[in-house]
Amino acid sequence: MDLAIVYSPIGGGHKAAALALAETAKGKGMTAEVLNLFELAPLVGNAYVEWHLAITGTNPEAYGRVYHAANHRGGALEPLRLKFEQLVFGRLLRRIETLQPRAVIATHHLPLVVLGRARRKGNLEAPVTAVITDYTSHAVWAERGVDAFCVPSLFAHADIVRHRGDPRDVYMTGIPVREAFERIEPVSMPRDGEPLRVLVTSGGFGVGPMRRIVRSFAGQVDVALTVVCGAAEALVADVERDVREAGVNARVIGFERDMASRVAEAHVVVGKAGGLTVSETLTAGRPMIVVGAVPGNEKQNEAFVVGGGAGVAAEPEDVGGIANMLRAQHRLQAMGERGRLLVVSHAARRVLEVAMVRASTSNAA
């Protein structure tokens, strides 16, 4: 076995990054196993997901306070946290031991507590590579024992070095997305008589102010929406009702397995500022309207997009007017071009190179 790739299903992005790595690895003739950490600890995993969705959905300001307050190494509660996560997620190490991979890659920070400790104690031979999936990095990623950190931006690079201290272990690879996003043609302005095609996405769990966004397109002419509601089945019926009542030209779907095709159809993408949503959109050269960013990593991802000239931030009720304004001002193409310049291309390949070089070095030692 060449690779064990571990993710935690906190949102859809960590899984999407893991699957992109596995797809690229298999394309190179490598063997890879993708592991869902929470399948090895389902009770705790489900509780963690429910807590995360609840606090980000109902009290995002509280989530932001927790995020920033915990953004440092050490503290009185740190030993307790580490001990708890080692006990809860210990089955992960036993699963990896049965696979005997040459290298381990994690696209979420939770597995790193167990994996980093195992590396420090000499209980895991395979080197561990962490893939940061936001355009900034939190202290929880900087676990001792992790061999390499793959980051998407100078901001995340500086954060990891500040928490970890050794820049030689930090690599600028980008965030892994499927190769299909790399192959999407550049965006072009709608031709005469062609509607502005807008993709509204909610992420894998169907979160965010979707219904208010859809209603913002009431009265906007020459616009065609595609609304992806994710795994929230009940949301589909609610959005379809909003579409009818607002008189909006839209197709509404649930979970989408081929987001690359949906993004390729669109002139502009509307969504939350999750790291993978941002990366897929910008890699495809599509401008982004960021809505509902939660304080913490999403707000910092939003700043990366807006500050780089690849998108704008908007209130849900303003999205329709802003989308048509971008068309009227002929800004779509320039913003799409800026997006492609902001991200590191072929990130999955770069991450695999880091992991396998570390594996070769470890074996040689």
Side-chain angles (χ1 to χ4, degrees):
M1 173 71 63
D2 291 309
L3 287 168
I5 306 170
V6 190
Y7 74 94
S8 304
I10 309 298
H14 304 288
K15 180 179 180 179
L19 293 178
L21 287 166
E23 177 184 84
T24 302
K26 291 174 182 178
K28 291 178 170 291
M30 302 166 64
T31 53
E33 183 86 10
V34 177
L35 302 175
N36 177 349
L37 177 66
F38 289 175
E39 287 182 353
L40 301 171
L43 292 178
V44 175
N46 292 338
Y48 192 104
V49 171
E50 290 175 6
W51 169 84
H52 182 83
L53 292 175
I55 192 170
T56 56
T58 63
N59 198 342
E61 297 299 329
Y63 174 82
R65 289 193 294 272
V66 171
Y67 178 94
H68 291 294
N71 194 14
H72 60 85
R73 301 298 297 175
L77 295 179
E78 185 76 354
L80 181 62
R81 178 186 73 86
L82 294 176
K83 188 63 176 178
F84 173 77
E85 293 179 359
Q86 288 161 11
L87 290 172
V88 169
F89 300 124
R91 288 179 61 191
L92 170 65
L93 185 59
R94 295 192 289 275
R95 175 63 177 146
I96 289 176
E97 287 172 346
T98 64
L99 294 174
Q100 296 186 325
R102 295 173 57 202
V104 180
I105 301 175
T107 63
H108 190 258
H109 64 83
L110 281 178
L112 299 178
V113 176
V114 174
L115 299 174
R117 184 175 188 273
R119 285 291 285 165
R120 296 197 313 272
K121 300 293 185 180
N123 297 326
L124 177 62
E125 292 186 7
V128 176
T129 297
V131 180
I132 283 78
T133 50
D134 289 300
Y135 287 87
T136 184
S137 183
H138 194 277
V140 292
W141 286 92
E143 292 290 349
R144 293 183 301 124
V146 175
D147 297 85
F149 297 87
C150 293
V151 300
S153 69
L154 291 175
F155 305 109
H157 189 286
D159 287 338
I160 283 291
V161 171
R162 175 164 55 89
H163 295 304
R164 179 61 182 258
D166 191 346
R168 294 174 298 179
D169 295 334
V170 187
Y171 301 83
M172 187 80 73
T173 61
I175 295 175
V177 301
R178 291 175 49 219
E179 289 287 329
F181 290 97
E182 307 272 1
R183 297 192 291 267
I184 293 175
E185 293 294 321
V187 68
S188 57
M189 290 293 298
R191 298 184 296 273
D192 290 341
E194 180 185 12
L196 177 71
R197 295 188 298 275
V198 180
L199 173 64
V200 181
T201 177
S202 62
F205 284 117
V207 295
M210 299 285 290
R211 300 180 64 188
R212 292 155 63 196
I213 293 170
V214 168
R215 287 182 173 275
S216 77
F217 284 90
Q220 298 293 332
V221 298
D222 297 327
V223 176
L225 302 184
T226 297
V227 185
V228 179
C229 296
E233 295 180 5
L235 183 61
V236 174
D238 290 338
V239 172
E240 286 177 338
R241 183 169 59 252
D242 291 329
V243 165
R244 291 192 299 270
E245 293 176 355
V248 177
N249 175 18
R251 54 179 171 176
V252 183
I253 58 179
F255 188 80
E256 175 58 67
R257 297 188 180 279
D258 187 9
M259 280 301 295
S261 294
R262 297 297 182 191
V263 173
E265 295 171 351
H267 293 110
V268 61
V269 175
V270 180
K272 287 171 64 64
L276 264 292
T277 298
V278 167
S279 298
E280 291 170 350
T281 301
L282 270 55
T283 297
R286 294 302 185 265
M288 187 170 185
I289 301 176
V290 181
V291 185
V294 174
N297 55 312
E298 287 190 7
K299 273 295 184 183
Q300 290 165 325
N301 291 340
E302 175 188 271
F304 179 81
V305 173
V306 175
V312 296
E315 294 298 320
E317 294 77 12
D318 299 331
V319 171
I322 289 175
N324 257 330
M325 179 193 70
L326 295 177
R327 170 171 56 181
Q329 295 178 348
H330 300 280
R331 295 172 61 187
L332 299 174
Q333 287 174 298
M335 293 173 77
E337 291 170 1
R338 286 294 305 161
R340 278 193 157 143
L341 291 174
L342 281 177
V343 295
V344 182
S345 62
H346 304 295
R349 300 182 197 176
R350 298 173 189 271
V351 171
L352 293 178
E353 288 173 3
V354 169
M356 300 319 294
V357 166
R358 284 284 175 154
S360 299
T361 303
S362 178
N363 292 336

